[in-house]
Amino acid sequence: MNTNHHPDLAALTTPRLLLDEARMDHNIQRMQRRLDELGVAFRPHVKTTKCVDIARRQAAAGARGITVSTLMEARMFHAAGFDDILYAVAIAPARLDEALELARRGCRLTLVVASVQAAEMVTAHGRAQGHVHDVIIEIDTDGHRAGLNPDDAALPATARALTVVERGGARLKGVMTHAGSSYGLDQRDALIRLAEQERAGCVAAAQRLRDCGMTCDVVSVGSTPTALAAMNLDGVTEVRAGVYVFFDLVMAGTGVCRTDDIALSVLTTVIGHRVDTGWLVTDSGWMAMSRDRGTQRQAVDHGYGLVCDVAGTPIPGLSFAEANQEHGVLHWQGDPGADLVARFPVGTLLRMLPNHACATGAQHGQYTVIDASAAPVATWERFRGW
């Protein structure tokens, strides 16, 4: 294949978000197979894709329910037929009426709280509206973000605040955690240890509540790295993971995938040169790629993305070093005598692999789905907003 041209992709305007269907399907099957082997249900986090077509592939592979990060996602996926939804962000008071409306439309929506105050707020709203909210308590098992520690004195009190009364209130379903610090690891042994820490901490929190006489049916854990590294999920009822469906350069840096597994890329056009500095200028800046520099903290810093030819093969010596709003600036670090204008003339198509698939995907309104030959075969819509 001509590395500067592809007869099917050449007809597309750029920047363009490309989705390699075969790689995506492989990634979906890999995760589902792994969790089936571990004997645990899988509730994928659809915030990465925000796409009904992809969620249906995940469900067909064996996923049970979905996880969302916004109520907009919950509304859109529920309208498409998904009715078992975990809203995995602690809910703000002003969004409780939206959550109630979804529940009254038949959505089995589960909310998250991480404090006694939040639990009391949700329960009071349910009582006032004659509704029982299903709720999970967020547990912090790695100091990464939010939640109560498994041994926090406030944990039983938070659970007790989720009470069912005759006229409404809230119902405690269980506990959940997310080992987000796994994104900063790059050794399999360390990932295995963190996966066990995530599992053990969440299971311990659930058992503590049971010992206090409370029902705790759901024990939900997950991140893409720990889901793929876990050796034992005893006591866990479900796993959540999202970015696995596409993978990205940060995930490659953790060692849980190869660059050849990354299903998402941004099709880009060379629009100019700076011969004196060895720069190529493209039409894909941070508005197309996002400002995410997640690989900056890893062993290999890919700048704003990994530069590939139109076939998706990385180009040695060419780095995505700078990004303005609509301009990408690629720095040539290869043979100083190379004629960049001749090698990469204006109009050359390139593909950029993302640091963070969730962030890059959020910059676009649709996917152009490509087959194994990189020919476009479909267009799938993405959701936006909160």
Side-chain angles (χ1 to χ4, degrees):
M1 179 184 295
N2 185 325
T3 57
N4 290 339
H5 181 73
H6 186 290
D8 296 302
L9 296 181
L12 302 177
T13 56
T14 58
R16 175 81 55 148
L17 188 65
L18 302 182
L19 173 56
D20 186 313
E21 186 175 20
R23 290 185 181 186
M24 178 196 71
D25 285 340
H26 176 268
N27 297 339
I28 289 172
Q29 294 297 330
R30 175 190 173 191
M31 180 66 80
Q32 188 65 56
R33 184 167 57 249
R34 174 67 177 151
L35 297 179
D36 286 347
E37 290 169 353
L38 289 168
V40 66
F42 182 38
R43 179 185 294 274
H45 207 319
V46 295
K47 69 170 184 177
T48 297
T49 67
K50 298 183 191 287
C51 177
V52 168
D53 299 272
I54 299 172
R56 286 175 175 153
R57 299 272 179 114
Q58 293 167 300
R64 306 178 204 171
I66 59 173
T67 310
V68 300
S69 59
T70 70
L71 285 177
M72 179 278 300
E73 293 166 30
R75 289 193 300 273
M76 298 297 284
F77 280 104
H78 181 247
F82 293 85
D83 65 354
D84 180 3
I85 301 176
L86 169 62
Y87 173 38
V89 176
I91 191 161
R95 308 307 289 266
L96 281 167
D97 285 345
E98 291 179 63
L100 176 62
E101 179 60 26
L102 263 169
R104 285 178 170 166
R105 290 180 193 168
C107 180
R108 291 181 291 152
L109 183 67
T110 301
L111 306 180
V112 169
V113 300
S115 68
V116 174
Q117 182 184 23
E120 291 173 343
M121 172 195 72
V122 171
T123 298
H125 181 270
R127 286 174 177 164
Q129 300 297 326
H131 175 73
V132 178
H133 292 291
D134 284 329
V135 183
I136 278 181
I137 299 174
E138 185 170 8
I139 305 299
D140 179 5
T141 53
D142 67 346
H144 170 67
R145 190 166 59 198
L148 297 169
N149 291 333
D151 59 356
D152 195 312
L155 178 58
T158 301
R160 291 189 187 101
L162 301 169
T163 57
V164 178
V165 296
E166 185 177 346
R167 292 180 295 105
R171 177 189 299 113
L172 174 66
K173 287 186 67 176
V175 291
M176 61 159 279
T177 192
H178 168 63
S181 62
S182 61
Y183 283 40
L185 302 178
D186 61 4
Q187 298 295 321
R188 178 160 177 76
D189 286 349
L191 286 170
I192 290 172
R193 287 194 297 272
L194 183 59
E196 173 56 21
Q197 178 179 317
E198 178 186 50
R199 182 205 70 82
C202 204
V203 168
Q207 189 58 49
R208 187 172 172 216
L209 294 178
R210 294 179 189 126
D211 290 345
C212 292
M214 286 171 270
T215 299
C216 192
D217 293 331
V218 175
V219 181
S220 180
V221 307
S223 73
T224 287
T226 54
L228 291 171
M231 305 300 290
N232 164 32
L233 289 174
D234 289 351
V236 170
T237 64
E238 68 178 26
V239 168
R240 308 176 324 280
V243 75
Y244 80 95
V245 69
F246 295 152
F247 284 124
D248 54 29
L249 294 170
V250 169
M251 289 295 99
T254 68
V256 299
C257 73
R258 307 164 301 162
T259 56
D260 286 349
D261 296 317
I262 299 174
L264 207 64
S265 63
V266 174
L267 185 67
T268 302
T269 302
V270 174
I271 59 173
H273 305 82
R274 277 286 304 273
V275 177
D276 58 328
T277 56
W279 295 355
L280 301 180
V281 181
T282 77
D283 63 354
S284 295
W286 56 258
M287 283 292 287
M289 296 300 299
S290 88
R291 284 191 178 277
D292 195 294
R293 290 290 310 278
T295 61
Q296 196 170 25
R297 299 183 296 274
Q298 296 185 319
V300 178
D301 181 1
H302 290 288
Y304 287 89
L306 179 60
V307 185
C308 301
D309 64 26
V310 73
T313 303
I315 302 174
L318 197 56
S319 66
F320 195 167
E322 300 179 47
N324 303 126
Q325 185 166 336
E326 301 295 352
H327 293 79
V329 181
L330 313 184
H331 289 195
W332 179 250
Q333 298 167 329
D335 177 6
D339 185 344
L340 297 184
V341 176
R343 182 171 177 182
F344 304 102
V346 169
T348 296
L349 292 177
L350 302 171
R351 284 166 63 184
M352 309 295 184
L353 302 185
N355 286 320
H356 185 180
C358 303
T360 296
Q363 305 302 111
H364 300 263
Q366 61 185 22
Y367 301 96
T368 296
V369 184
I370 59 175
D371 64 16
S373 71
V377 295
T379 299
W380 293 345
E381 299 301 314
R382 280 182 52 91
F383 309 144
R384 291 186 179 187
W386 288 267

